[in-house]
């Protein structure tokens, strides 16, 4: 089983419109409510591929209840800690001009007793899983060291961790030595403390993460593709050309792909090829975390991997 951790879930309200104009009335063409949060997106994808998955984290109020009901209907096992405050909502506004605007609420304040309850639950769940995927932001009230703490607990039970977050949560989490981290270019630049203007600088910055007891570093460079580095290999795969509808969830698709590859024992080329293909396939749909599997397989067969 794969365990996913979502410390700040949301109902993703996904809107479509012609264009978004600041300071004006903007009428939407359509709106769909989707259970969201990066770890929940990973859970949805794993479930589509028939991977046993358990989702944990925090949920509260009516919004949290709605999310839990919807993902249970998908066949995902849920074991969340209930919070006093309501789970947040987020808005993804997809324009026909190709721009995606995200408006993200901060999330509920996590009380100290809720955090302690979660840590106890997580310690039990991690013993039953093969691998843990930790994704996204942390709700207010949680310390910046929360992912590092969770990685340390997983390490005590010799469980591999995939970490996908940003800013200080990522910096402190890397210090705990996760199995794989997946920063995008902007997140890598934050960690490096400077712009990475070309391939050489990206590889140098990624190498510093490997030096912190990380086994794999996957760096997404958007529509250009993805790098995957280990201590002795550096690979790059160019993203296949697709008609992009919504890029939300592409990083989560890559994390789900890496998790599946880890359980299958695939080599680095296979890991990278699958991650790039699922990420591109996700971009062709309006709903995040919804993979057209036939298209994903076609794209995977077409992705070429370059040794650097």
């Amino acid at each position: 089983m794969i365990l996913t951790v979502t410390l700040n879930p949301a109902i993703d309200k996904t809107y479509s419109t012609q264009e978004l104009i600041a300071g004006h009335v903007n009428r939407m063409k359509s709106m769909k409510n989707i259970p969201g949060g990066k770890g929940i997106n990973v859970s949805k994808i794993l479930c589509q591929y028939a991977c046993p998955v358990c989702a944990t984290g925090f949920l509260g109020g009516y919004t949290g209840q709605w999310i839990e009901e919807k993902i249970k209907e998908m066949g995902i096992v849920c074991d969340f800690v209930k919070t006093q405050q309501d789970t947040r909502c987020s808005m993804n506004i997809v324009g026909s001009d190709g721009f995606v605007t995200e408006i993200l609420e901060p999330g509920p304040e996590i009380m100290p007793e809720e955090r302690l309850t979660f840590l106890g639950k997580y310690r039990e769940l991690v013993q039953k899983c093969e691998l843990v995927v930790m994704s996204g932001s942390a709700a207010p009230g949680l310390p910046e060291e929360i992912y590092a703490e969770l990685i340390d607990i997983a390490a005590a039970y010799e469980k591999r961790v995939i970490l996908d977050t940003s800013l200080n949560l990522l910096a402190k989490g890397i210090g705990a030595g996760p199995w794989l981290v997946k920063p995008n270019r902007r997140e890598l630049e934050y960690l490096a403390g400077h712009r990475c203007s070309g391939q050489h600088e990206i590889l140098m910055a990624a190498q510093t993460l490997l030096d912190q007891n990380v086994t794999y570093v996957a760096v997404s460079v958007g529509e250009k593709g993805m790098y995957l580095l280990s201590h002795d290999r550096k690979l790059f795969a160019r993203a296949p050309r697709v008609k992009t509808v919504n890029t939300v969830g592409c990083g989560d698709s890559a994390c789900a792909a890496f998790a599946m590859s880890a359980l299958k024992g695939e080599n680095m080329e296979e890991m990278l090829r699958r991650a790039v293909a699922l990420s591109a396939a996700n971009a062709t749909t309006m709903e995040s975390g919804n993979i057209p599997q036939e298209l994903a397989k076609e794209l995977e067969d077409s992705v070429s991997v370059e040794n650097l």
Side-chain angles (χ1 to χ4, degrees):
M1 183 180 71
I2 297 172
L3 178 66
T4 65
V5 177
T6 312
L7 299 179
N8 203 10
I11 294 179
D12 283 341
K13 294 179 171 291
T14 301
Y15 299 87
S16 63
T17 185
Q18 186 68 29
E19 60 181 341
L20 188 66
I21 306 174
H24 290 259
V25 173
N26 292 270
R27 299 191 185 279
M28 302 293 107
K29 291 182 178 178
S30 65
M31 190 279 285
K32 186 174 184 179
N33 288 325
I34 302 168
K38 294 178 72 63
I40 287 177
N41 284 341
V42 172
S43 301
K44 289 157 57 178
I45 297 161
L46 292 172
C47 189
Q48 289 171 44
Y49 280 86
C51 288
V53 58
C54 175
T56 191
F58 298 97
L59 289 174
Y62 170 76
T63 47
Q65 180 182 341
W66 184 89
I67 289 172
E68 186 164 12
E69 288 174 355
K70 291 299 180 184
I71 61 178
K72 279 183 175 178
E73 289 173 6
M74 299 174 188
I76 297 167
V77 175
C78 296
D79 201 344
F80 287 86
V81 170
K82 300 303 185 290
T83 59
Q84 296 176 28
Q85 297 183 18
D86 289 4
T87 295
R88 64 181 178 151
C89 292
S90 297
M91 288 186 284
N92 302 317
I93 304 170
V94 183
S96 58
D97 54 7
F99 289 100
V100 178
T101 302
E102 296 184 69
I103 301 173
L104 309 178
E105 295 180 4
E109 182 83 17
I110 304 300
M111 300 294 108
E113 61 272 20
E114 295 167 348
R115 175 176 170 268
L116 289 176
T117 299
F118 169 73
L119 289 174
K121 182 184 294 292
Y122 171 79
R123 193 178 295 273
E124 294 176 2
L125 291 172
V126 80
Q127 297 177 61
K128 303 174 185 177
C129 75
E130 291 279 331
L131 180 144
V132 187
V133 182
M134 304 176 184
S135 307
S137 64
L142 294 173
E144 291 181 339
E145 298 82 8
I146 184 64
Y147 280 130
E149 185 175 8
L150 298 181
I151 293 167
D152 285 340
I153 293 172
Y157 296 102
E158 299 182 341
K159 308 295 184 176
R160 293 172 291 180
V161 172
I162 294 173
L163 178 64
D164 181 22
T165 185
S166 59
L167 302 177
N168 282 345
L169 287 167
L170 176 60
K172 294 182 183 297
I174 286 171
W179 179 70
L180 184 148
V181 293
K182 196 207 67 60
N184 60 30
R185 184 170 184 160
R186 185 185 307 170
E187 291 159 353
L188 185 68
E189 291 174 340
Y190 174 84
L191 295 172
H194 59 78
R195 295 287 299 273
C196 297
S197 57
Q199 183 179 92
H200 176 72
E201 291 187 2
I202 290 172
L203 294 177
M204 292 294 290
Q207 181 63 49
T208 65
L209 308 188
L210 292 171
D211 294 340
Q212 298 181 62
N213 200 30
V214 174
T215 304
Y216 294 105
V217 178
V219 182
S220 168
V221 286
E223 62 184 14
K224 293 181 180 179
M226 184 179 292
Y227 295 89
L228 181 61
L229 288 77
S230 70
H231 289 278
D232 54 4
R233 299 193 68 189
K234 299 177 178 65
L235 306 179
F236 177 74
R238 194 172 303 280
R241 291 182 176 273
V242 295
K243 183 178 180 180
T244 300
V245 175
N246 184 6
T247 57
V248 175
C250 288
D252 308 325
S253 304
C255 283
F258 285 128
M260 288 188 283
S261 292
L263 295 193
K264 291 174 179 288
E266 293 180 338
N267 61 39
M268 283 183 66
E269 287 90 348
E270 293 168 325
M271 289 170 60
L272 183 55
R273 192 175 292 114
R274 183 192 297 267
V276 169
L278 263 65
S279 180
N282 175 82
T284 67
T285 66
M286 179 64 74
E287 181 177 344
S288 58
N290 182 23
I291 306 295
Q293 293 190 31
E294 288 188 11
L295 173 61
K297 184 65 175 70
E298 291 175 9
L299 295 175
E300 186 174 347
D301 293 338
S302 70
V303 172
S304 61
V305 175
E306 177 186 358
N307 278 282
L308 302 177

